[in-house]
Amino acid sequence: SAVISQKPSRDICQRGTSLTIQCQVDSQVTMMFWYRQQPGQSLTLIATANQASEATYESGFVIDKFPISRPNLTFSTLTVSNMSPEDSSIYLCSVLDRAYGYTFGSGTRLTVV
Amino acid sequence: AQKVTQAQTEISVVEKEDVTLDCVYETRDTTYYLFWYKQPPSGELVFLIRRNSFDEQNEISGRYSWNFQKSTSSFNFTITASQVVDSAVYFCALSEAGTDKLIFGTGTRLQVFP
């Protein structure tokens, strides 16, 4: 199955700033997914990033707040913009390998102060 | 719309007890996949099983077993002879063939005490 390298693993950021999270996959994948996991909560899908088109956002998430780039089939970034303490969460990227299912990055633990 | 319900928020057992984690799902699709993931305190997601909607056979892997029943839209997970290392949050998840989106249940926190 695919191997995902996600960076950074954790960060502490000041409110009002932005953080860009990177995911590098060791093989070409069509679809990448970005999730948020708020403290003590489940994983919520933020958006689906298809290399051929703009990212598709789930209800409650907007591009201005969570811009996503997908420049090629092995790489994607998620930016958390104009951060507030409510954005403190774990952010995970994921890819779908139809043979093996979903693979997840190790996550980025973000704390906004 | 797809939905996954894990009614048990938290379960505590003593080591060597058997424990079953419930998962009930909703989907309009006839083709879908069900998953279980384990999230230990370290935070990473550990894949446990994937089952497609056309395969209702129960599965056993060591101390783990899964019972898939389409008639009740359930995909329950049983740990036999639980161990302290089984302590984690367990997520059930569903993806529909049409969208490929993976939707998670709210998770069940399992604590196994020695």
Side-chain angles (χ1 to χ4, degrees), chain B residues 11-16 82-84 86-87 110-114:
Chain B
I11 301 175
S12 295
V13 299
V14 177
E15 222 173 7
K16 298 184 183 175
S82 59
Q83 300 176 2
V84 173
D86 295 327
S87 297
L110 173 65
Q111 291 195 314
V112 182
F113 293 99

Side-chain angles (χ1 to χ4, degrees), chain B residues 24-84:
Chain B
V24 174
Y25 62 92
E26 295 176 29
T27 177
R28 296 176 188 165
D29 243 355
T30 55
T31 303
Y32 53 89
Y33 295 87
L34 294 163
F35 300 79
W36 276 95
Y37 288 89
K38 173 182 180 180
Q39 189 175 45
S42 54
E44 77 273 21
L45 275 174
V46 179
F47 167 81
L48 296 178
I49 190 171
R50 175 178 69 168
R51 179 51 50 99
N52 75 57
S53 53
F54 298 106
D55 182 2
E56 284 195 75
Q57 279 192 332
N58 292 331
E59 174 129 355
I60 298 175
S61 176
R63 296 185 296 108
Y64 295 169
S65 62
W66 291 268
N67 181 269
F68 177 28
Q69 298 213 349
K70 287 177 76 170
S71 61
T72 57
S73 296
S74 65
F75 187 43
N76 296 337
F77 172 34
T78 297
I79 301 174
T80 303
S82 59
Q83 300 176 2
V84 173

Side-chain angles (χ1 to χ4, degrees), chain A residues 25-41:
Chain A
V25 189
D26 68 344
S27 57
Q28 294 186 337
V29 293
T30 303
M31 300 177 79
M32 293 183 74
F33 307 88
W34 287 97
Y35 288 85
R36 180 177 73 182
Q37 186 177 23
Q38 294 177 300
Q41 304 295 314

Side-chain angles (χ1 to χ4, degrees), chain A residues 53-69:
Chain A
S53 62
E54 296 289 324
T56 303
Y57 289 82
E58 297 299 305
S59 175
F61 297 96
V62 295
I63 188 171
D64 289 346
K65 176 67 176 177
F66 297 102
I68 289 171
S69 80

Side-chain angles (χ1 to χ4, degrees), chain A:
Chain A
S1 60
V3 176
I4 301 176
S5 173
Q6 184 173 344
K7 300 178 186 178
S9 58
R10 60 177 64 231
D11 208 340
I12 301 173
C13 300
Q14 297 289 325
R15 68 171 68 204
T17 63
S18 298
L19 175 72
T20 295
I21 302 167
Q22 300 180 0
C23 272
Q24 178 75 52
V25 189
D26 68 344
S27 57
Q28 294 186 337
V29 293
T30 303
M31 300 177 79
M32 293 183 74
F33 307 88
W34 287 97
Y35 288 85
R36 180 177 73 182
Q37 186 177 23
Q38 294 177 300
Q41 304 295 314
S42 184
L43 284 80
T44 301
L45 182 64
I46 297 172
T48 302
N50 185 324
Q51 197 269 334
S53 62
E54 296 289 324
T56 303
Y57 289 82
E58 297 299 305
S59 175
F61 297 96
V62 295
I63 188 171
D64 289 346
K65 176 67 176 177
F66 297 102
I68 289 171
S69 80
R70 184 82 204 274
N72 56 53
L73 291 173
T74 63
F75 187 78
S76 179
T77 67
L78 169 77
T79 299
V80 186
S81 303
N82 188 24
M83 289 184 285
S84 67
E86 292 71 36
D87 294 320
S88 297
S89 297
I90 298 173
Y91 293 86
L92 299 101
C93 63
S94 174
V95 301
L96 171 60
D97 179 322
R98 297 201 182 277
Y100 296 100
Y102 296 84
T103 302
F104 286 83
S106 53
T108 296
R109 192 179 295 269
L110 171 62
T111 302
V112 183
V113 297

Side-chain angles (χ1 to χ4, degrees), chain B residues 5-11 19-23 36 106-109:
Chain B
T5 301
Q6 294 179 255
Q8 305 150 307
T9 305
E10 203 161 327
I11 301 175
V19 57
T20 296
L21 283 59
D22 298 332
C23 174
W36 276 95
T106 50
T108 298
R109 181 177 300 277

